Coordinates of all heavy atoms in Angstrom, one line a residue:
R639 N 6.1 25.8 -46.2 CA 5.3 25.0 -47.2 C 4.9 26.0 -48.3 O 4.7 27.2 -48.1 CB 4.0 24.4 -46.6 CG 4.3 23.3 -45.6 CD 3.0 23.0 -44.8 NE 2.7 24.1 -43.9 CZ 1.5 24.1 -43.2 NH1 0.6 23.1 -43.3 NH2 1.2 25.1 -42.4
I640 N 4.7 25.4 -49.5 CA 4.2 26.1 -50.7 C 3.0 25.3 -51.2 O 3.0 24.1 -51.0 CB 5.3 26.4 -51.8 CG1 5.8 25.0 -52.3 CG2 6.4 27.2 -51.2 CD1 6.8 25.2 -53.5
I641 N 2.2 26.0 -52.0 CA 1.0 25.4 -52.6 C 1.1 25.7 -54.1 O 1.2 26.8 -54.5 CB -0.3 25.9 -52.1 CG1 -0.3 25.5 -50.5 CG2 -1.5 25.3 -52.8 CD1 -1.6 26.0 -49.9
G642 N 1.1 24.6 -55.0 CA 1.1 24.8 -56.4 C -0.2 25.2 -57.0 O -1.3 25.2 -56.3
E643 N -0.2 25.5 -58.3 CA -1.5 25.9 -58.9 C -2.6 24.8 -58.9 O -3.7 25.1 -58.8 CB -1.1 26.2 -60.4 CG -0.3 27.4 -60.6 CD -0.1 27.8 -62.1 OE1 -0.4 26.9 -62.9 OE2 0.4 28.9 -62.3
D644 N -2.1 23.5 -58.9 CA -3.1 22.5 -58.9 C -3.4 22.0 -57.4 O -4.0 21.0 -57.2 CB -2.6 21.2 -59.7 CG -1.2 20.8 -59.2 OD1 -0.6 21.4 -58.3 OD2 -0.8 19.8 -59.8
G645 N -2.9 22.8 -56.5 CA -3.2 22.5 -55.1 C -2.3 21.6 -54.3 O -2.5 21.3 -53.1
W646 N -1.3 21.1 -55.0 CA -0.3 20.2 -54.3 C 0.5 21.1 -53.3 O 0.7 22.2 -53.4 CB 0.6 19.5 -55.3 CG 1.3 20.4 -56.3 CD1 0.9 20.5 -57.6 CD2 2.4 21.3 -56.1 NE1 1.7 21.5 -58.2 CE2 2.7 21.9 -57.4 CE3 3.2 21.6 -55.1 CZ2 3.7 22.8 -57.5 CZ3 4.3 22.5 -55.3 CH2 4.5 23.1 -56.5
E647 N 0.8 20.3 -52.2 CA 1.6 21.0 -51.1 C 2.9 20.4 -50.9 O 3.1 19.2 -51.1 CB 0.8 20.7 -49.8 CG 1.3 21.5 -48.5 CD 0.5 21.3 -47.3 OE1 -0.6 21.6 -47.3 OE2 1.1 20.8 -46.3
R648 N 3.9 21.3 -50.7 CA 5.3 20.7 -50.7 C 6.1 21.5 -49.6 O 5.8 22.6 -49.3 CB 6.0 21.0 -52.0 CG 7.3 20.3 -52.2 CD 7.9 20.6 -53.6 NE 7.1 20.1 -54.7 CZ 7.1 18.8 -55.1 NH1 8.0 18.0 -54.6 NH2 6.3 18.4 -56.1
W649 N 7.0 20.8 -48.9 CA 7.8 21.4 -47.8 C 9.1 21.7 -48.4 O 9.8 21.0 -49.2 CB 8.0 20.3 -46.7 CG 7.0 20.4 -45.7 CD1 5.9 19.5 -45.6 CD2 6.8 21.2 -44.5 NE1 5.1 19.7 -44.6 CE2 5.6 20.8 -43.8 CE3 7.6 22.2 -44.1 CZ2 5.2 21.4 -42.7 CZ3 7.2 22.8 -42.9 CH2 6.0 22.4 -42.2
L650 N 9.6 23.0 -48.1 CA 10.9 23.5 -48.6 C 11.7 24.0 -47.4 O 11.2 24.3 -46.3 CB 10.7 24.6 -49.5 CG 9.8 24.4 -50.8 CD1 9.7 25.6 -51.7 CD2 10.4 23.2 -51.6
L651 N 13.0 24.0 -47.6 CA 14.0 24.5 -46.6 C 14.8 25.5 -47.2 O 15.5 25.3 -48.2 CB 14.9 23.4 -46.0 CG 16.0 23.8 -45.2 CD1 15.5 24.4 -43.9 CD2 16.9 22.6 -44.8
G652 N 14.9 26.7 -46.7 CA 15.6 27.9 -47.3 C 16.8 28.2 -46.4 O 16.7 28.2 -45.1
H653 N 18.0 28.5 -46.9 CA 19.1 28.9 -46.3 C 19.6 30.2 -47.1 O 19.7 30.2 -48.3 CB 20.3 27.9 -46.3 CG 20.0 26.7 -45.4 ND1 20.0 26.8 -44.0 CD2 19.6 25.5 -45.6 CE1 19.7 25.6 -43.5 NE2 19.5 24.8 -44.5
A654 N 20.2 31.2 -46.3 CA 20.8 32.3 -47.0 C 21.7 33.0 -46.0 O 21.6 33.0 -44.8 CB 19.6 33.3 -47.4
I655 N 22.7 33.7 -46.7 CA 23.6 34.6 -46.0 C 23.2 36.0 -46.3 O 23.0 36.4 -47.5 CB 25.1 34.4 -46.4 CG1 25.5 33.0 -46.1 CG2 26.0 35.4 -45.8 CD1 26.9 32.7 -46.7
N656 N 23.0 36.8 -45.3 CA 22.5 38.2 -45.4 C 23.6 39.2 -45.2 O 24.4 39.0 -44.3 CB 21.3 38.5 -44.5 CG 20.1 37.6 -44.7 OD1 19.3 37.9 -45.5 ND2 20.1 36.4 -44.0
R657 N 23.6 40.3 -46.0 CA 24.5 41.4 -45.8 C 23.9 42.6 -46.4 O 22.9 42.6 -47.1 CB 25.9 41.0 -46.4 CG 25.8 40.7 -47.9 CD 27.1 40.7 -48.6 NE 27.7 42.0 -48.8 CZ 28.8 42.4 -48.0 NH1 29.2 41.6 -47.1 NH2 29.3 43.6 -48.2
L658 N 24.6 43.8 -46.0 CA 24.2 45.1 -46.5 C 25.2 45.5 -47.5 O 26.3 45.6 -47.3 CB 24.1 46.1 -45.3 CG 23.7 47.5 -45.6 CD1 22.2 47.5 -46.1 CD2 23.9 48.4 -44.5
E659 N 24.7 45.8 -48.7 CA 25.5 46.3 -49.8 C 24.9 47.7 -50.3 O 23.9 47.7 -50.9 CB 25.4 45.3 -51.0 CG 26.0 44.0 -50.7 CD 26.2 43.1 -51.9 OE1 25.8 43.6 -53.0 OE2 26.7 41.9 -51.8
G660 N 25.6 48.7 -49.8 CA 25.1 50.1 -50.0 C 23.8 50.3 -49.2 O 23.8 50.1 -48.0
D661 N 22.8 50.7 -50.0 CA 21.5 50.8 -49.3 C 20.5 49.7 -49.5 O 19.4 49.7 -49.3 CB 20.8 52.1 -49.7 CG 20.6 52.2 -51.2 OD1 21.1 51.2 -51.9 OD2 19.9 53.1 -51.6
H662 N 21.1 48.5 -50.0 CA 20.3 47.3 -50.3 C 20.6 46.2 -49.3 O 21.8 46.1 -48.9 CB 20.7 46.8 -51.7 CG 20.3 47.7 -52.8 ND1 20.5 47.4 -54.2 CD2 19.6 48.9 -52.8 CE1 20.0 48.4 -54.9 NE2 19.4 49.3 -54.1
L663 N 19.6 45.5 -48.9 CA 19.8 44.2 -48.1 C 19.8 43.1 -49.2 O 19.0 42.9 -50.0 CB 18.6 44.0 -47.2 CG 18.5 45.0 -46.0 CD1 17.1 44.8 -45.3 CD2 19.7 44.9 -45.1
V664 N 20.9 42.4 -49.1 CA 21.2 41.3 -50.1 C 21.3 40.0 -49.4 O 21.9 39.9 -48.3 CB 22.5 41.6 -50.8 CG1 22.7 40.5 -51.9 CG2 22.4 42.9 -51.5
A665 N 20.7 38.9 -49.9 CA 20.8 37.6 -49.4 C 21.1 36.6 -50.5 O 20.6 36.7 -51.6 CB 19.4 37.2 -48.8
Y666 N 22.1 35.7 -50.2 CA 22.6 34.7 -51.2 C 22.2 33.4 -50.5 O 22.7 33.0 -49.4 CB 24.1 34.8 -51.4 CG 24.6 36.1 -51.8 CD1 24.9 37.1 -51.0 CD2 24.7 36.3 -53.2 CE1 25.4 38.3 -51.4 CE2 25.2 37.5 -53.7 CZ 25.5 38.6 -52.7 OH 26.0 39.7 -53.2
G667 N 21.5 32.6 -51.2 CA 21.1 31.3 -50.6 C 20.5 30.3 -51.5 O 20.7 30.3 -52.7
S668 N 19.8 29.3 -50.9 CA 19.3 28.2 -51.6 C 18.0 27.7 -51.0 O 17.8 27.9 -49.8 CB 20.3 27.0 -51.7 OG 20.4 26.5 -50.4
V669 N 17.2 27.0 -51.8 CA 15.9 26.4 -51.3 C 15.9 25.0 -51.8 O 16.2 24.7 -53.0 CB 14.7 27.1 -51.8 CG1 13.4 26.5 -51.4 CG2 14.7 28.6 -51.3
S670 N 15.7 24.0 -50.9 CA 15.6 22.6 -51.3 C 14.3 22.0 -50.9 O 13.6 22.5 -49.9 CB 16.8 21.9 -50.6 OG 16.7 22.0 -49.2
D671 N 13.9 20.9 -51.5 CA 12.7 20.2 -51.3 C 13.0 19.2 -50.2 O 13.8 18.3 -50.3 CB 12.2 19.4 -52.5 CG 10.9 18.9 -52.4 OD1 10.4 18.7 -51.3 OD2 10.2 18.6 -53.4
I672 N 12.2 19.3 -49.1 CA 12.4 18.4 -47.9 C 11.1 17.7 -47.6 O 10.8 17.2 -46.5 CB 12.9 19.2 -46.7 CG1 11.8 20.3 -46.3 CG2 14.3 19.8 -46.9 CD1 12.1 20.9 -44.9
T673 N 10.2 17.6 -48.7 CA 8.9 16.9 -48.5 C 9.1 15.6 -48.0 O 8.4 15.1 -47.1 CB 8.1 17.0 -49.8 OG1 8.0 18.4 -50.2 CG2 6.7 16.4 -49.5
D674 N 9.9 14.8 -48.6 CA 10.1 13.3 -48.2 C 10.6 13.3 -46.8 O 10.1 12.4 -46.0 CB 11.1 12.7 -49.2 CG 10.5 12.5 -50.6 OD1 9.3 12.6 -50.7 OD2 11.3 12.3 -51.6
R675 N 11.5 14.1 -46.5 CA 12.0 14.2 -45.1 C 11.0 14.4 -44.1 O 10.8 13.8 -43.0 CB 13.2 15.1 -45.0 CG 14.0 14.9 -43.7 CD 14.8 16.2 -43.4 NE 14.0 17.2 -42.7 CZ 14.4 18.5 -42.5 NH1 15.6 18.8 -43.0 NH2 13.6 19.3 -42.0
K676 N 10.1 15.4 -44.4 CA 9.1 15.8 -43.4 C 8.0 14.7 -43.3 O 7.5 14.5 -42.2 CB 8.4 17.1 -43.9 CG 9.3 18.3 -43.9 CD 9.7 18.7 -42.5 CE 8.6 19.4 -41.8 NZ 9.1 19.9 -40.4
L677 N 7.7 14.1 -44.4 CA 6.8 12.9 -44.3 C 7.4 11.8 -43.5 O 6.7 11.2 -42.7 CB 6.5 12.4 -45.7 CG 5.6 13.4 -46.6 CD1 5.5 12.8 -48.0 CD2 4.3 13.7 -46.0
A678 N 8.7 11.5 -43.6 CA 9.3 10.5 -42.8 C 9.4 10.9 -41.4 O 9.2 10.1 -40.5 CB 10.8 10.3 -43.4
E679 N 9.6 12.2 -41.1 CA 9.6 12.7 -39.8 C 8.2 12.5 -39.1 O 8.1 12.1 -38.0 CB 10.0 14.1 -39.7 CG 11.5 14.4 -40.0 CD 11.9 15.9 -40.0 OE1 10.9 16.7 -39.8 OE2 13.0 16.2 -40.0
Q680 N 7.2 12.8 -39.9 CA 5.9 12.7 -39.4 C 5.5 11.2 -39.1 O 4.9 10.9 -38.1 CB 4.8 13.2 -40.4 CG 3.4 13.3 -39.9 CD 3.2 14.1 -38.7 OE1 3.7 15.2 -38.6 NE2 2.6 13.5 -37.7
R681 N 6.0 10.3 -40.0 CA 5.7 8.9 -39.8 C 6.5 8.4 -38.5 O 5.9 7.6 -37.8 CB 6.2 8.1 -41.0 CG 5.2 8.2 -42.2 CD 5.5 7.1 -43.2 NE 6.9 7.4 -43.8 CZ 7.1 8.1 -44.9 NH1 6.1 8.7 -45.6 NH2 8.3 8.2 -45.4
L682 N 7.7 9.0 -38.4 CA 8.5 8.7 -37.2 C 7.8 9.1 -35.9 O 7.8 8.4 -34.9 CB 9.9 9.2 -37.3 CG 10.8 9.0 -36.1 CD1 11.0 7.5 -36.0 CD2 12.2 9.6 -36.3
Q683 N 7.3 10.4 -36.0 CA 6.6 10.9 -34.8 C 5.4 10.2 -34.5 O 5.1 9.8 -33.3 CB 6.2 12.4 -35.0 CG 7.4 13.3 -35.2 CD 7.0 14.8 -35.5 OE1 5.8 15.0 -35.7 NE2 8.0 15.7 -35.7
D684 N 4.6 9.7 -35.5 CA 3.5 8.9 -35.3 C 3.8 7.5 -34.6 O 3.2 7.1 -33.7 CB 2.7 8.6 -36.6 CG 2.1 9.9 -37.2 OD1 1.9 10.9 -36.4 OD2 1.8 10.0 -38.4
S685 N 4.9 7.0 -35.2 CA 5.4 5.7 -34.6 C 5.9 5.9 -33.2 O 5.6 5.1 -32.4 CB 6.5 5.2 -35.5 OG 7.1 4.0 -34.9
E686 N 6.6 7.0 -32.9 CA 7.0 7.1 -31.5 C 5.9 7.5 -30.6 O 5.8 7.0 -29.5 CB 8.0 8.4 -31.5 CG 9.4 8.1 -32.0 CD 10.3 9.3 -31.9 OE1 9.8 10.3 -31.6 OE2 11.5 9.1 -32.2
A687 N 4.8 8.1 -31.1 CA 3.6 8.4 -30.3 C 2.9 7.0 -29.9 O 2.5 6.8 -28.8 CB 2.7 9.3 -31.0
R688 N 2.9 6.2 -30.9 CA 2.2 4.9 -30.7 C 3.1 4.1 -29.7 O 2.5 3.4 -28.8 CB 2.1 4.1 -32.0 CG 1.0 4.7 -32.9 CD 0.7 3.7 -34.0 NE 1.8 3.5 -35.0 CZ 2.1 4.2 -36.0 NH1 1.3 5.2 -36.4 NH2 3.1 4.0 -36.8
F689 N 4.5 4.1 -29.9 CA 5.3 3.4 -29.0 C 5.3 3.9 -27.6 O 5.2 3.2 -26.6 CB 6.7 3.5 -29.6 CG 7.7 2.7 -28.7 CD1 7.7 1.3 -28.6 CD2 8.7 3.4 -28.0 CE1 8.6 0.7 -27.8 CE2 9.6 2.8 -27.2 CZ 9.6 1.3 -27.1
R690 N 5.1 5.2 -27.5 CA 5.1 5.9 -26.2 C 3.8 5.5 -25.5 O 3.7 5.3 -24.3 CB 5.2 7.4 -26.3 CG 5.4 8.1 -25.0 CD 5.5 9.6 -25.2 NE 6.7 9.9 -25.9 CZ 7.9 10.0 -25.3 NH1 8.0 9.9 -24.1 NH2 9.0 10.3 -26.1
S691 N 2.7 5.5 -26.3 CA 1.4 5.1 -25.7 C 1.5 3.7 -25.1 O 0.9 3.4 -24.1 CB 0.3 5.2 -26.7 OG 0.2 6.6 -27.1
L692 N 2.1 2.8 -26.0 CA 2.2 1.4 -25.5 C 3.0 1.3 -24.3 O 2.7 0.5 -23.4 CB 2.7 0.5 -26.7 CG 1.9 0.3 -27.9 CD1 2.6 -0.4 -29.0 CD2 0.6 -0.4 -27.5
T693 N 4.2 1.9 -24.2 CA 5.1 1.8 -23.0 C 4.4 2.5 -21.8 O 4.6 2.0 -20.7 CB 6.4 2.5 -23.3 OG1 6.2 3.8 -23.8 CG2 7.2 1.7 -24.4
D694 N 3.6 3.5 -22.0 CA 3.0 4.1 -20.9 C 1.9 3.2 -20.3 O 1.6 3.2 -19.1 CB 2.3 5.5 -21.3 CG 3.3 6.6 -21.5 OD1 4.4 6.4 -21.0 OD2 3.0 7.6 -22.1
L695 N 1.3 2.4 -21.1 CA 0.3 1.5 -20.7 C 0.9 0.2 -20.1 O 0.2 -0.6 -19.4 CB -0.7 1.1 -21.8 CG -1.6 2.2 -22.3 CD1 -2.3 1.8 -23.6 CD2 -2.5 2.7 -21.3
S696 N 2.2 -0.1 -20.4 CA 2.8 -1.3 -19.9 C 3.7 -1.0 -18.6 O 3.7 0.2 -18.2 CB 3.8 -1.9 -20.9 OG 4.9 -1.1 -21.1
S697 N 4.2 -2.0 -18.1 CA 5.1 -1.8 -16.9 C 6.6 -1.7 -17.3 O 7.4 -1.7 -16.4 CB 5.0 -3.0 -16.0 OG 5.4 -4.2 -16.6
D698 N 6.9 -1.5 -18.5 CA 8.3 -1.4 -19.0 C 8.5 0.0 -19.5 O 7.6 0.8 -19.7 CB 8.5 -2.4 -20.2 CG 8.3 -3.8 -19.9 OD1 8.2 -4.1 -18.7 OD2 8.2 -4.7 -20.7
W699 N 9.8 0.3 -19.6 CA 10.2 1.5 -20.2 C 11.4 1.3 -21.1 O 12.2 0.2 -21.0 CB 10.6 2.6 -19.1 CG 11.7 2.2 -18.3 CD1 13.0 2.4 -18.4 CD2 11.6 1.6 -16.9 NE1 13.7 1.9 -17.4 CE2 12.8 1.5 -16.4 CE3 10.4 1.2 -16.2 CZ2 13.1 0.9 -15.2 CZ3 10.7 0.7 -15.0 CH2 11.9 0.5 -14.5
Y700 N 11.6 2.2 -22.1 CA 12.7 2.0 -23.0 C 13.9 2.9 -22.6 O 13.6 4.1 -22.2 CB 12.2 2.4 -24.5 CG 13.3 2.5 -25.5 CD1 13.8 1.4 -26.1 CD2 13.8 3.7 -25.8 CE1 14.8 1.5 -27.1 CE2 14.8 3.9 -26.8 CZ 15.3 2.7 -27.4 OH 16.3 2.9 -28.4
W701 N 15.1 2.5 -22.8 CA 16.2 3.4 -22.5 C 17.3 3.3 -23.5 O 17.3 2.3 -24.3 CB 16.9 3.0 -21.1 CG 17.3 1.5 -21.0 CD1 16.5 0.5 -20.5 CD2 18.5 0.9 -21.4 NE1 17.2 -0.6 -20.6 CE2 18.5 -0.4 -21.2 CE3 19.7 1.5 -22.0 CZ2 19.5 -1.3 -21.5 CZ3 20.7 0.6 -22.3 CH2 20.6 -0.7 -22.0
E702 N 18.2 4.2 -23.6 CA 19.3 4.2 -24.6 C 20.5 5.0 -24.0 O 20.3 5.9 -23.3 CB 18.8 5.0 -25.8 CG 19.7 4.8 -27.1 CD 19.1 5.4 -28.3 OE1 17.8 5.2 -28.5 OE2 19.8 6.0 -29.1
T703 N 21.7 4.5 -24.4 CA 22.9 5.1 -23.9 C 23.8 5.5 -25.1 O 23.5 5.0 -26.2 CB 23.7 4.2 -23.0 OG1 24.2 3.1 -23.8 CG2 22.9 3.6 -21.8
D704 N 24.7 6.4 -24.8 CA 25.7 6.7 -25.9 C 26.9 5.8 -25.9 O 26.9 4.8 -25.3 CB 26.1 8.2 -25.8 CG 26.8 8.5 -24.4 OD1 27.1 7.5 -23.7 OD2 26.8 9.7 -24.1
E705 N 27.9 6.2 -26.7 CA 29.1 5.3 -26.8 C 29.8 5.3 -25.4 O 30.6 4.2 -25.2 CB 30.1 5.9 -27.8 CG 29.6 5.9 -29.3 CD 28.8 7.2 -29.6 OE1 28.3 7.8 -28.6 OE2 28.8 7.6 -30.7
Q706 N 29.7 6.3 -24.6 CA 30.3 6.2 -23.3 C 29.4 5.5 -22.2 O 29.8 5.5 -21.1 CB 30.6 7.6 -22.8 CG 31.8 8.2 -23.4 CD 31.6 8.7 -24.9 OE1 30.5 9.3 -25.1 NE2 32.5 8.4 -25.8
L707 N 28.3 5.0 -22.7 CA 27.4 4.2 -21.8 C 26.7 5.1 -20.9 O 26.3 4.6 -19.8 CB 28.1 3.0 -21.2 CG 28.9 2.0 -22.1 CD1 29.7 1.1 -21.3 CD2 28.0 1.4 -23.1
R708 N 26.5 6.3 -21.2 CA 25.8 7.2 -20.3 C 24.3 7.3 -20.9 O 24.1 7.4 -22.1 CB 26.4 8.6 -20.3 CG 27.8 8.5 -19.8 CD 28.5 9.9 -19.6 NE 29.9 9.8 -19.1 CZ 30.2 9.6 -17.9 NH1 29.2 9.5 -16.9 NH2 31.4 9.5 -17.5
F709 N 23.3 7.4 -20.0 CA 22.0 7.4 -20.4 C 21.6 8.7 -21.1 O 22.0 9.8 -20.7 CB 21.1 7.3 -19.2 CG 21.0 5.9 -18.6 CD1 21.6 5.6 -17.4 CD2 20.4 4.8 -19.3 CE1 21.6 4.3 -16.9 CE2 20.3 3.6 -18.8 CZ 20.9 3.3 -17.6
I710 N 21.0 8.6 -22.3 CA 20.6 9.8 -23.0 C 19.1 9.9 -23.4 O 18.7 10.9 -23.9 CB 21.5 9.8 -24.4 CG1 21.2 8.7 -25.2 CG2 22.9 10.0 -24.1 CD1 21.8 8.6 -26.6
H711 N 18.4 8.7 -23.2 CA 17.0 8.8 -23.6 C 16.2 7.8 -22.9 O 16.7 6.7 -22.5 CB 17.0 8.4 -25.1 CG 15.7 8.6 -25.8 ND1 14.9 9.8 -25.6 CD2 15.0 7.8 -26.6 CE1 13.8 9.7 -26.4 NE2 13.8 8.4 -26.9
F712 N 14.9 8.2 -22.6 CA 13.9 7.3 -22.0 C 12.6 7.5 -22.7 O 12.3 8.6 -23.1 CB 13.7 7.7 -20.6 CG 14.8 7.1 -19.6 CD1 15.9 7.8 -19.3 CD2 14.6 5.8 -19.0 CE1 16.8 7.4 -18.4 CE2 15.6 5.3 -18.2 CZ 16.7 6.1 -17.9
V713 N 12.0 6.4 -23.0 CA 10.6 6.4 -23.6 C 9.7 5.6 -22.7 O 10.1 4.5 -22.3 CB 10.6 5.9 -25.0 CG1 9.2 5.8 -25.5 CG2 11.4 6.8 -25.9
G714 N 8.6 6.1 -22.4 CA 7.6 5.4 -21.5 C 8.1 5.5 -20.0 O 7.6 4.8 -19.2

Side-chain angles (χ1 to χ4, degrees):
R639 291 168 293 173
I640 62 172
I641 299 179
E643 291 181 348
D644 56 357
W646 48 259
E647 184 177 303
R648 191 179 298 274
W649 276 94
L650 303 181
L651 171 62
H653 289 289
I655 298 175
N656 297 276
R657 58 170 286 106
L658 180 67
E659 295 185 3
D661 58 353
H662 293 178
L663 291 171
V664 181
Y666 303 88
S668 66
V669 176
S670 58
D671 189 339
I672 60 170
T673 303
D674 293 340
R675 193 198 80 191
K676 295 295 286 187
L677 291 176
E679 288 178 354
Q680 185 60 47
R681 287 192 295 269
L682 179 60
Q683 290 175 2
D684 293 342
S685 176
E686 287 184 350
R688 288 192 296 270
F689 179 67
R690 187 179 298 275
S691 297
L692 291 174
T693 53
D694 286 343
L695 293 173
S696 74
S697 59
D698 299 346
W699 61 86
Y700 170 84
W701 56 265
E702 191 172 320
T703 69
D704 58 15
E705 297 92 329
Q706 286 74 42
L707 305 174
R708 300 185 182 279
F709 288 105
I710 59 173
H711 190 50
F712 280 92
V713 175

